[in-house]
Amino acid sequence: MSASDTARTWPGATLTRIPFWVYQDEANYRTELRRIFEGPTWNFVCLEADLKQPGDFRTTFVGEMPVIVVRAEDGAIRAFENRCAHRGALISLDDQGTAKHFQCVYHAWTYDLQGNLTGIAFEKGSNGRGGMPPSFAKSAHGPRKLKTATLHGLVFASLCHDAPSMEDYLGEEILGRIARVLGKPIHVLGRFVQALPNNWKLYVENVKDTYHASLLHAFFTTFRVTTLTQGGGVLVSPDGGHHASTTRDRADDRESAAYREQGLRADHDRLRLSDPSVLDTVDEFGDGIKLQILTVFPGFVLQQIGNSLAVRQVLPKGPGSMELHWTYLGFVDDVPEMRRRRLRQANLVGPAGYVSMEDGCVGGFVQRGAATAADALSVVNMGGDGAESQDTRATEASVRGFWKAYRRYMDY
């Protein structure tokens, strides 16, 4: 049975059953783009460190909409659709750069740093013939503009000019968890793009899913980076959309055999690191939290694994594919030893990371496994049926939180 053969109904008011068609259906995907990514949400678009001087810009996406983010002459950060008002071509073809203005390569229509159409090649024609009609008003034509907000070096944008303030959108607790990590000026260590063969929601669920981390990732468990028997818990925002999970060391867990006693594949007591310095971490935030993963709905991730800091941007590319844009971070005032430590620990994450390599595969496993099961339901019962914060990571509360927010935006 294909996704199109199944009626699009949600299984009642529960957050514990998710229909597989939601990862497959083309019409549902198009509605997501309109109601979520182009709706009253805030989408991460770049870092303030990318836009140091007037004219500095980056190109990115909000959903599937191409976007230019630029620091204007007045120092304000502007964002507008990367689409020429003439024939729809991309205005900028570069990932980043510095510009005094933008000019479309197709017919040389020109835009200022606020996205206003300011120039048209041969607007008056040539030798008294041709050109645009006198009634054509440049001010009435241009790409769509987005509202922007900055927060601890992060830049977010929204197409909905009635979107709540960034502070109201996130809430005090999530704001505090972001401030905990990003309390100083950011330095970019590197970035790359990872293509994933699965629906965007499968990756967002995966990041929110604290239950899987030490079961799927053998590195986490074998080297006690994070396990379900360690301290920590899950913070879920009241609206469900945002979360932060944390891991703390517990002295009585260091020799725990709980995973081996259950015969779980994630615990390999015979494996050793040839270079143990990859796990040479320091408690740079002074609170004993060795791992924090934070998400902002719909598609932003802030990662602290030891001293490895990164942001991840989830970009949908159709019902069955997505891109994951990684940016590795440090701080401007990092000493050389800390910068080397961050670069070593960068091996933990990314497409071939000791930890997150499996995350690049498992979403595709679900996409393929459920390909003919559009009318079946996934089970999200670990830790109960609500979406409240919990002082354990043996729970799927933050996954249920995602669906709580998703259903509200999608009116399911």
Side-chain angles (χ1 to χ4, degrees), residues 169-212:
Y169 183 70
L170 294 176
E172 185 177 345
E173 289 184 298
I174 295 295
L175 281 169
R177 294 297 184 89
I178 294 174
R180 172 190 168 270
V181 176
L182 300 181
K184 297 188 291 184
I186 292 169
H187 172 75
V188 175
L189 297 177
R191 48 175 38 112
F192 54 83
V193 176
Q194 181 180 7
L196 296 178
N198 53 261
N199 184 274
W200 69 275
K201 298 184 294 299
L202 287 170
Y203 185 81
V204 175
E205 280 186 304
N206 172 274
V207 176
K208 290 175 175 284
D209 177 8
T210 53
Y211 176 41
H212 92 278

Side-chain angles (χ1 to χ4, degrees), residues 28 57 81 93 95 99 152 156 220 229 248 250 252 278 305 372 379 387:
N28 185 74
F57 72 90
E81 188 178 15
L93 305 179
D95 291 334
H152 296 291
F156 291 84
F220 265 164
T229 54
R248 295 176 184 269
R250 277 176 39 185
D252 61 351
V278 73
I305 301 176
T372 59
V379 176

Side-chain angles (χ1 to χ4, degrees), residues 89-118:
L90 292 170
I91 297 171
S92 175
L93 305 179
D94 297 318
D95 291 334
Q96 63 183 35
T98 303
K100 294 181 178 179
H101 58 261
F102 296 97
Q103 190 172 87
C104 175
V105 69
Y106 198 179
H107 297 95
W109 284 32
T110 302
Y111 301 83
D112 65 19
L113 299 184
Q114 299 187 46
N116 301 310
L117 177 62
T118 58

